[in-house]
């Protein structure tokens, strides 16, 4: 894990985007670049920056978009990760619908987790026994959850399924989330951690994953082959 600190959110997101572009440039097999997105406020800032500053600097047609996790709501719901991406990124950049593989949050969670697992399995190339993303953009919450793997759902870190159902510990909202083994299947992880209130959490992450620090984010970052954290909380 490499942690880099920046003076503000835009600088951190620019650095992260630069790394994403380098991964894209290194892919020379002529196939699409399979990118898994996260949601939340940081993702919304990222989408806005991409449209404002990277519209003509990234080969958007080469990217196929997938999701790390999704809230179990319709795409028109204000909580929908896909809904924000669609309004802030896909529509402004005229991304073709068949380049976007969304999680259907409006469908019964267990059924959709199985369907999306099959979509990813059938579409993506394999690395070992699991599908492989060219890059995964993760977020980390103030409680050190990542994807929709929360401190009280740690078994999802080693779940053998590609995607599974989770539940937010406070709102009890159901989520569909990528599991730990898929996140850690050698994909590079880009992790923007922005906003006030996360400095203490980052200090804990630096200690790594142990019995005294058993958080989802610590586990993922300590087991990742490549993980770059971009923060303004240094």
């Amino acid at each position: 894990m490499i942690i880099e600190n920046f003076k503000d959110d835009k600088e951190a997101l620019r650095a992260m985007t630069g790394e994403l572009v380098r991964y894209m440039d290194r892919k020379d097999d002529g196939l699409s670049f399979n990118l898994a997105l996260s949601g939340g406020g940081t993702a919304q800032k990222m989408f806005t920056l991409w449209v404002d500053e990277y519209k003509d600097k990234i080969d958007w047609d080469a990217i196929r978009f997938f999701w790390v996790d999704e809230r179990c709501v319709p795409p028109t719901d204000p909580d929908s990760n896909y809904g924000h991406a669609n309004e802030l990124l896909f529509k402004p950049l005229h991304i073709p619908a068949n380049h976007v593989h969304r999680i259907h949050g409006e469908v019964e969670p267990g059924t959709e987790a199985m369907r999306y697992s099959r979509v990813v399995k059938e579409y993506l190339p394999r690395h070992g026994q699991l599908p492989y993303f060219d890059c995964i953009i993760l977020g980390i919450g103030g409680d050190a959850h990542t994807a929709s793997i929360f401190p009280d759902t740690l078994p999802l870190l080693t779940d053998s399924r590609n995607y599974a159902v989770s539940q937010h510990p406070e709102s009890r909202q159901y989520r569909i989330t990528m599991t730990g083994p898929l996140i850690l299947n050698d994909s590079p992880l880009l992790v923007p951690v922005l906003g006030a209130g996360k400095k203490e959490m980052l200090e804990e992450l630096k200690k790594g994953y142990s019995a005294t620090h058993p958080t989802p984010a610590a586990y993922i970052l300590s087991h990742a082959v490549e993980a770059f954290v971009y923060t303004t909380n240094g």
Side-chain angles (χ1 to χ4, degrees), residues 38-59:
S38 295
T42 296
Q44 292 170 43
K45 292 179 181 179
M46 179 180 73
F47 299 148
T48 299
L49 181 77
W50 284 356
V51 170
D52 289 346
E53 299 186 13
Y54 293 89
K55 182 177 182 179
D56 300 316
K57 297 179 181 178
I58 290 177
D59 182 5

Side-chain angles (χ1 to χ4, degrees), residues 164-207:
V165 179
S166 182
Q167 193 172 21
H168 191 281
E170 296 178 2
S171 70
R172 311 312 297 169
Q173 181 187 62
Y174 284 105
R175 309 279 185 91
I176 294 168
T177 184
M178 193 184 292
T179 60
L182 186 55
I183 296 172
L184 293 171
N185 193 32
D186 279 356
S187 298
L189 308 180
L190 302 182
V191 191
V193 181
L194 311 179
K198 293 186 178 180
K199 185 172 183 178
E200 182 177 342
M201 180 270 291
L202 278 169
E203 291 303 314
E204 290 296 312
L205 284 181
K206 293 176 184 178
K207 299 176 183 178

Side-chain angles (χ1 to χ4, degrees), residues 144-151 153-154 156-157 166 177-180 183 216:
H145 82 266
T146 191
S148 282
I149 305 175
F150 299 99
T153 57
L154 293 179
L156 292 174
L157 291 170
S166 182
T177 184
M178 193 184 292
T179 60
I183 296 172

